[in-house]
Amino acid sequence: MAAHSGKPGGGEALVAFFTKLPSLQVPEEELVIPSDLERYGLSEVVNRLLGRDQPIPFDFLVEGEFLRSSIGRYLEAHKLSSEKVLRLEFVLALREPEQSAVDEAPEWISSVAALEAFPSTWFAATLYDGTVRLYEGAQMKLTTRLSDHGLTGAAALPTSRGSHLVAACQDGTLKACGFQCGSGPSSGAVSSQAGAKKALQACAIHEDGTLLAAGGWSMEVCVWNVEPETFADETAGKRKAPHQAEAKFTLAGHSQVVTALSFGKKEQFPFSLLSGSWARLSRRPDRVSSNSNDEIVSLSG
Amino acid sequence: MPRLKPGARARSSSASSRLKRPRLASSSSVPVPGDESAKKEKSVEEMIEDEDLEDTDEDSDHGLVDDGSSDDSEDDAPRNRIGNVPLEWYKDEDHVGYDIAGEKIMRTLSTSEINALLESKDNPDAWRTIKDHKNQREVVLTETDLEVIRRIRERMYPSLATDTTEMVEFENPEARIHPEGKAHPPKSRFLPSKWERMKVKRLVSLLRQGKIRPPPPPAPEVWDLWADEAQLRRKAPTALPAPKMALPGHAESYNPPSEYLFTEEEKKEWEETFEEDRTLNHLPQKFESLRHVPGYKDFTLERFKRCLDLYLVPRALKQRMNVDPESLLPKLPNPKDLRPFPTHIAVSYEGHEGMIRSVAVEATGRYLATASSDETLRIWEVATGRPVRSIKFSSAVTAVAWNPQHLMLSVSAEENVFFLDPQLEIQAAPDGEAPVAVSSLLEFKEANVAKPEGEEVEEPTAAKAKAVHWRAVQPDSPQHAAGCRLSIATDGDVQLLVWHHKGNYCAAVSPKARATSNQCIIHALNQQKSMRPFARLRGGQQVQSCAFHPSKPHFLVATMRSVRIYDLQKQAQVKQLISGAKWISSVTVHPTGDHVVVGSYDRRVVWWDLDFASKPYKTLQYHDKAVRCATFHPGKFPLLAACSDDATVSILHAKVFSDLMQSPMIVPVKRLRDHMVNQGFGVLSCAWHPHQPWLFTAGADGRAYLWA
């Protein structure tokens, strides 16, 4: 691993390192290194260049993608010449995640949703006994019962104060609830959207917060409008009966259970709802349903 | 020119020669003997007496030119003894032949015309002189001769003494060339025979009818001994010469280079190998000079072995088939092209402690029920593996089956069959027709109780079948809390429960039932009655398994050796499928309804095509131990699974073609191996997901898996 400039021979490559990390800058020289070096070897080279006592593990990116094989194999795969300089960006390597805390829930957890935009410290987990548990970091902060039957899917939309959460329930209704995440988290009133005949499996909220969608074992996707009472606060007034809403429209077409729903980013899919099932993935723009069928056989969407 | 012998000597029997000295004086037809008549008569009489007309010693000079070169005795025979040799051969010679003594007969007669003219003028006898060129003499015809000639020309007998008896050769059939009568020969003699034609026609018609056979060819007079030999002789085997002996190399030298000498290990190795396997017959040795070399003691032995190789060892060319073994293998498609089929475990359902006897998946594919010998029945969510229900019974649960139409189960736990409502439906549905239907289905109908009371008075013995009673599960029993509503007491362990696709009939098989009619019972849910259609099974064997036909009202019953198909409406047997298997374990019908597959305890999976006769279409053996269960995929995937006691499940791609020309294509694609053998049992049951290519397996190791 001599850092000398010269022509690379067989089994060597010409690389130059750079980084965006401010504290770990390296002179951008062209180095000739053996081409069978992988991440660990390259990390050693950079540490040598930095002259550190404690070596830091680095990870390397080529053209924005992580280098996951040796340099020689990368050059062969992309048919690059070893005499041309390969610019490698190095970043801090991510370690294996360590388990910090375990919270034992009384029932099986069906899904987890992040309540804030990434990176989020607040998470909600829906359980098969119909409750939702809120976590901040590793600690469980709040438990709310949304239904008597199991909840199978959840989706959340971050709002100014907290988040709106919808959960698909096994009795065929979509439960919606607003949460305030803060020092004292609290939940709003639970409203339910009916319209599906059988148990629901997946749900989604539009980015605007205007539409709710859910699909399940009735092989249909139901779409609801979001009304002010959907995510009402508890303090807005006690209601004798929880709010019930009917579906705006129902989309049929799947032959098997619908297990995944997504509205997609507004810029890319302005009027679309993607739904995945055990048989097909189809994309339906709002109002006009034209299917583009890609066959995906998968277990859970 | 008529052959006239000189009248004196007569050897032949010609008439003229008999005449001795006939007179030409008289011109009457009969020579009148004049003065010499007495003499003549005498001579004639003498002649007549003499039978063998030998030459008589008389005046020999009759018309002979005496040239002195001939003797009397020679007049009888021709002078020239050349026989039939033509005279032309002598035309250039000066002689014309040879006489009896061998002397040449010179040409003396003149042949010129002038001489002939002079002769005719000078010689008064020239007109009756004949020149005999062959014998070179002139013969003067006597009066008698002339008389004879005249008579013959006038078509008279030559003389009175002519022996007319010998003129016509009556005894010589070859001389009969003239017709014997005046009549014309009949025309039919020259035409094909009418009678022969009739005979031939009759013979031909008989031949054609086959009543007579054409005559065999005549046996050959001469038998060719060697006629067949040429065919029998086969080509002699190609002479295979003995392999050439290797030329001596450096190791055979008396002073080889040192590298050819054996080291100690090599020497030991050489001694240990067999004589036939050794590369060198001897140990290489090094000598200083040729005179130190001792005699080779194995010389005679080697020569003897070589001689044996040369003349005593049989050698034959090994006939090798130059068939590429790859070409004999059937061309099956690559399993990669036959996807999808289950390959790996996707979900495992953990919780059972004992062997899982049976596994059943619900019609929508959402729930899975497993029955185990730890006396529990568990219901799981298929996608996640979460246990939803766990129902305890009082004895090992042996079989379970979901109703295809309603969300309910039939479960068998030792000697009872239960109908169970697991309460899995959502009660909060606004139009809750479905949950109401299940519980109303399972309401016990009291009306049926009245009838069996009358029958119970008879008190049948244990050997006879007891009437099948439907009972309500007691509300205070734990089973009722779990959802069981109806129960039926059975005779013997129920091993298999199968529902009809309309959801009204459930067939229960208990092979160990004491009464034959109890081995296969069909329970009707709506009417809450049970039927025993097979009171007396022909063959008298145990019922092992049963299946409903997917489309027709047929019911398949598998006994130990065969499968019988019954028409339930007509109450008659439709077909019997005979397998070579000794003990059938399970039977399954293809969704199209045309193919039946049976798994058996002697490791075989047997496939019948119902369009054919009762013999199997294919028998497959892919397992080392008993095949417990074989099932077709009930949906659109062409898959067949067979699970066995060696804890593996074989997945076969079984493509059935709708056109009748192509037979089903069966290709083994995967073997699933994650189960473990427990007490000799492997995988006990398998079931396909209704609409996905996923397989559920139940193992004796207490594990149930979803393979995807």
Side-chain angles (χ1 to χ4, degrees):
Chain A
M1 282 178 292
H4 61 274
S5 60
K7 274 246 168 133
E12 290 177 340
L14 210 59
V15 296
F17 294 106
F18 71 98
T19 185
K20 291 178 187 152
L21 301 164
S23 55
L24 303 165
Q25 288 294 328
V26 172
E28 280 203 33
E29 291 172 342
E30 294 168 2
L31 305 171
V32 176
I33 51 164
S35 62
D36 57 353
L37 283 184
E38 293 198 29
R39 186 206 66 83
Y40 184 73
L42 293 169
S43 186
E44 279 190 335
V45 170
V46 172
N47 277 307
R48 275 260 194 103
L49 288 174
L50 290 170
R52 291 182 62 92
D53 313 326
Q54 296 281 344
I56 307 176
F58 291 111
D59 215 338
F60 294 87
L61 287 137
V62 188
E63 305 280 327
E65 284 183 7
F66 281 103
L67 179 72
R68 286 289 170 247
S69 60
S70 70
I71 292 192
R73 233 174 262 152
Y74 179 85
L75 292 173
E76 261 179 68
H78 289 76
K79 296 195 178 60
L80 298 170
S81 156
S82 62
E83 307 211 350
K84 204 170 159 212
V85 178
L86 195 68
R87 286 177 57 84
L88 293 172
E89 176 186 352
F90 61 91
V91 295
L92 294 171
L94 280 174
R95 290 183 185 278
E96 273 179 26
E98 288 164 0
Q99 204 176 57
S100 64
V102 174
D103 177 56
E104 294 248 1
E107 245 302 353
W108 284 44
I109 296 172
S110 55
S111 74
V112 174
L115 293 180
E116 296 167 357
F118 273 114
S120 165
T121 45
W122 287 90
F123 294 97
T126 55
L127 273 70
Y128 270 101
D129 60 2
T131 57
V132 170
R133 295 159 84 91
L134 253 76
Y135 293 87
E136 183 194 6
Q139 288 179 329
M140 206 258 318
K141 295 283 177 167
L142 183 65
T143 307
T144 320
R145 171 162 289 277
L146 292 185
S147 159
D148 290 326
H149 297 93
L151 300 172
T152 46
L157 182 71
T159 56
S160 52
R161 279 178 300 164
S163 129
H164 290 164
L165 180 77
V166 288
C169 186
Q170 277 185 336
D171 62 0
T173 57
L174 184 70
K175 305 289 185 201
C177 190
F179 286 93
Q180 290 86 37
C181 315
S183 52
S186 62
S187 65
V190 177
S191 68
S192 72
Q193 329 291 323
K197 302 177 193 75
K198 289 201 181 170
L200 289 174
Q201 195 75 19
C203 55
I205 307 183
H206 197 264
E207 244 185 39
D208 286 346
T210 51
L211 288 174
L212 305 174
W217 287 93
S218 59
M219 299 181 238
E220 291 165 343
V221 177
C222 303
V223 180
W224 293 268
N225 270 330
V226 171
E227 285 155 33
E229 297 91 14
T230 315
F231 297 107
D233 288 341
E234 195 83 45
T235 54
K238 293 228 185 239
R239 290 176 179 275
K240 298 251 175 76
H243 176 76
Q244 297 263 351
E246 292 297 324
K248 184 175 169 187
F249 52 82
T250 309
L251 299 163
H254 278 290
S255 57
Q256 293 186 27
V257 57
V258 177
T259 48
L261 283 168
S262 169
F263 274 99
K265 280 203 182 2
K266 209 165 137 192
E267 304 88 52
Q268 281 178 308
F269 306 104
F271 295 113
S272 299
L273 170 67
L274 287 106
S275 59
S277 80
W278 278 1
R280 283 190 328 206
L281 167 77
S282 68
R283 194 179 106 184
R284 300 165 210 277
D286 210 288
R287 278 180 216 137
V288 178
S289 62
S290 61
N291 307 350
S292 62
N293 297 339
D294 304 329
E295 287 235 350
I296 295 178
V297 177
S298 64
L299 190 54
S300 52
Chain B
M1 174 159 130
R3 277 220 172 169
L4 271 176
K5 304 269 189 316
R9 306 287 176 200
R11 261 236 168 108
S12 68
S13 58
S14 69
S16 58
S17 62
R18 314 284 171 103
L19 303 168
K20 302 219 183 232
R21 288 172 268 177
R23 283 268 166 161
L24 209 59
S26 64
S27 59
S28 62
S29 50
V30 176
V32 175
D35 297 342
E36 298 165 336
S37 60
K39 232 199 216 173
K40 219 177 155 211
E41 275 182 29
K42 212 193 295 180
S43 66
V44 167
E45 278 164 27
E46 279 172 20
M47 271 180 7
I48 288 167
E49 284 165 14
D50 289 329
E51 289 189 12
D52 54 348
L53 302 162
E54 284 300 307
D55 39 353
T56 55
D57 286 328
E58 291 203 58
D59 230 330
S60 63
D61 194 10
H62 297 296
L64 266 181
V65 176
D66 182 20
D67 56 0
S69 62
S70 63
D71 282 337
D72 288 339
S73 59
E74 292 177 1
D75 282 352
D76 299 323
R79 188 180 168 218
N80 193 350
R81 298 305 294 172
I82 60 175
N84 284 335
V85 170
L87 272 183
E88 289 161 349
W89 292 11
Y90 292 96
K91 66 174 186 315
D92 298 328
E93 308 290 327
D94 55 348
H95 64 288
V96 287
Y98 304 88
D99 61 4
I100 195 86
E103 304 290 336
K104 287 186 184 174
I105 302 173
M106 310 308 286
R107 285 184 200 267
T108 49
L109 285 184
S110 65
T111 52
S112 66
E113 292 276 341
I114 294 175
N115 279 351
L117 182 64
L118 289 174
E119 283 279 336
S120 65
K121 294 292 184 239
D122 291 341
N123 192 356
D125 287 332
W127 61 278
R128 52 172 172 173
T129 307
I130 299 167
K131 285 188 178 172
D132 187 2
H133 287 283
K134 188 169 183 184
N135 294 321
Q136 293 293 314
R137 61 183 175 199
E138 285 183 352
V139 177
V140 178
L141 295 173
T142 62
E143 301 290 333
T144 324
D145 293 332
L146 291 170
E147 180 63 23
V148 165
I149 289 166
R150 193 192 60 80
R151 286 179 66 85
I152 288 171
R153 277 189 171 157
E154 289 172 6
R155 288 197 292 273
M156 294 191 287
Y157 284 123
S159 80
L160 275 172
T162 310
D163 185 6
T164 56
T165 58
E166 295 188 12
M167 283 174 79
V168 175
E169 293 169 63
F170 289 105
E171 289 83 24
N172 184 7
E174 281 162 17
R176 297 174 70 169
I177 57 173
H178 304 290
E180 284 166 26
K182 242 178 29 177
H184 289 282
K187 188 177 171 187
S188 61
R189 238 180 251 178
F190 300 94
L191 296 173
S193 160
K194 181 166 68 171
W195 307 107
E196 259 192 27
R197 188 168 75 217
M198 284 165 65
K199 269 196 222 171
V200 164
K201 191 168 157 188
R202 186 174 149 275
L203 284 173
V204 163
S205 73
L206 283 175
L207 275 172
R208 284 216 183 104
Q209 289 165 25
K211 289 189 179 163
I212 54 176
R213 283 200 206 103
E221 293 170 18
V222 178
W223 186 259
D224 188 359
L225 275 178
W226 295 279
D228 293 333
E229 235 188 54
Q231 302 154 17
L232 292 173
R233 186 175 287 171
R234 262 176 265 122
K235 217 171 65 161
T238 51
L240 293 170
K244 291 190 184 159
M245 292 187 74
L247 292 173
H250 293 291
E252 275 88 359
S253 158
Y254 74 94
N255 187 10
S258 53
E259 56 264 26
Y260 284 91
L261 299 172
F262 282 163
T263 58
E264 286 301 321
E265 301 109 28
E266 284 177 349
K267 207 181 277 186
K268 210 188 285 182
E269 212 186 296
W270 183 88
E271 275 162 17
E272 278 167 13
T273 56
F274 284 120
E275 278 179 28
E276 296 94 22
D277 298 332
R278 283 182 189 153
T279 42
L280 276 181
N281 288 338
H282 64 284
L283 283 168
Q285 285 177 305
K286 203 176 172 70
F287 298 99
E288 291 165 0
S289 61
L290 207 51
R291 63 171 189 273
H292 291 118
V293 176
Y296 185 50
K297 59 180 169 44
D298 282 335
F299 173 72
T300 319
L301 188 67
E302 274 189 15
R303 281 282 100 205
F304 172 64
K305 283 188 182 163
R306 178 64 185 168
C307 285
L308 287 184
D309 269 349
L310 287 173
Y311 66 79
L312 210 56
V313 154
R315 270 182 281 272
L317 278 178
K318 200 164 188 177
Q319 298 282 354
R320 282 211 160 85
M321 283 204 304
N322 53 349
V323 170
D324 180 23
E326 300 284 328
S327 64
L328 295 173
L329 291 172
K331 307 265 182 315
L332 290 177
N334 201 349
K336 282 190 205 142
D337 305 328
L338 299 171
R339 287 184 281 200
F341 51 85
T343 51
H344 61 277
I345 297 177
V347 183
S348 85
Y349 305 97
E350 280 156 32
H352 275 297
E353 285 136 15
M355 296 199 294
I356 305 181
R357 303 282 287 267
S358 170
V359 67
V361 64
E362 189 240 331
T364 57
R366 191 171 168 196
Y367 294 109
L368 177 75
T370 53
S372 159
S373 20
D374 63 354
E375 302 171 3
T376 56
L377 168 80
R378 287 177 204 239
I379 302 181
W380 318 79
E381 242 186 40
V382 161
T384 54
R386 175 173 164 263
V388 175
R389 296 273 185 275
S390 170
I391 299 159
K392 182 107 178 44
F393 288 88
S394 51
S395 52
V397 188
T398 47
V400 65
W402 289 92
N403 189 315
Q405 298 293 330
H406 314 286
L407 209 60
M408 56 165 280
L409 292 158
S410 63
V411 185
S412 80
E414 285 202 355
E415 301 228 350
N416 283 303
V417 173
F418 294 99
F419 290 93
L420 173 68
D421 170 20
Q423 290 141 3
L424 287 171
E425 273 130 13
I426 35 176
Q427 280 106 13
D431 48 346
E433 288 168 6
V436 176
V438 175
S439 55
S440 69
L441 261 182
L442 295 177
E443 267 175 24
F444 182 61
K445 289 176 188 151
E446 294 284 342
N448 286 335
V449 180
K451 282 180 198 165
E453 278 180 9
E455 289 172 21
E456 262 173 343
V457 175
E458 295 176 8
E459 273 300 326
T461 58
K464 250 190 174 176
K466 290 185 263 185
V468 178
H469 296 298
W470 287 63
R471 288 191 196 89
V473 174
Q474 301 304 319
D476 50 354
S477 71
Q479 276 93 28
H480 187 95
C484 296
R485 297 286 175 264
L486 298 168
S487 82
I488 303 167
T490 59
D491 167 28
D493 260 2
V494 173
Q495 305 277 9
L496 181 69
L497 287 164
V498 187
W499 282 91
H500 187 255
H501 64 91
K502 293 213 176 113
N504 188 20
Y505 296 101
C506 177
V509 170
S510 30
K512 292 181 199 147
R514 287 169 291 259
T516 321
S517 58
N518 279 347
Q519 284 177 358
C520 183
I521 310 179
I522 301 183
H523 308 285
L525 183 63
N526 284 338
Q527 298 91 341
Q528 291 188 7
K529 272 192 191 171
S530 304
M531 291 165 282
R532 284 173 293 184
F534 309 107
R536 208 176 302 111
L537 256 186
R538 281 188 275 167
Q541 289 186 333
Q542 280 184 347
V543 174
Q544 297 293 320
S545 178
C546 65
F548 282 97
H549 196 279
S551 43
K552 296 181 200 164
H554 288 172
F555 187 67
L556 286 90
V557 173
T559 57
M560 281 178 62
R561 298 241 180 132
S562 60
V563 175
R564 289 161 213 267
I565 305 179
Y566 293 92
D567 190 330
L568 291 171
Q569 281 176 352
K570 292 180 197 159
Q571 310 233 336
Q573 178 176 313
V574 169
K575 212 171 195 176
Q576 182 180 2
L577 306 173
I578 302 164
S579 75
K582 296 288 181 302
W583 197 346
I584 293 177
S585 63
S586 62
V587 65
T588 176
V589 189
H590 194 266
T592 54
D594 290 330
H595 304 272
V596 171
V597 163
V598 136
S600 82
Y601 286 118
D602 49 2
R603 312 185 295 269
R604 270 174 259 204
V605 170
V606 185
W607 179 307
W608 280 275
D609 191 334
L610 291 178
D611 295 330
F612 294 162
S614 59
K615 288 278 169 69
Y617 160 65
K618 267 226 163 89
T619 306
L620 310 160
Q621 189 167 331
Y622 289 119
H623 288 281
D624 304 323
K625 296 217 186 129
V627 172
R628 288 261 160 191
C629 183
T631 40
F632 274 114
H633 193 281
K636 61 178 167 78
F637 293 98
L639 292 167
L640 170 66
C643 67
S644 119
D645 271 343
D646 58 359
T648 63
V649 182
S650 57
I651 309 286
L652 308 169
H653 179 97
K655 176 95 181 125
V656 163
F657 299 99
S658 47
D659 61 334
L660 297 171
M661 294 306 296
Q662 277 179 298
S663 29
M665 173 177 79
I666 306 171
V667 181
V669 289
K670 187 72 188 170
R671 170 111 24 171
L672 309 173
R673 284 181 205 273
D674 275 291
H675 279 283
M676 286 183 292
V677 178
N678 178 15
Q679 294 170 33
F681 298 109
V683 181
L684 291 175
S685 177
C686 59
W688 288 100
H689 195 275
H691 44 78
Q692 295 281 359
W694 302 339
L695 183 70
F696 299 95
T697 58
D701 49 0
R703 303 255 171 77
Y705 294 127
L706 165 64
W707 301 82

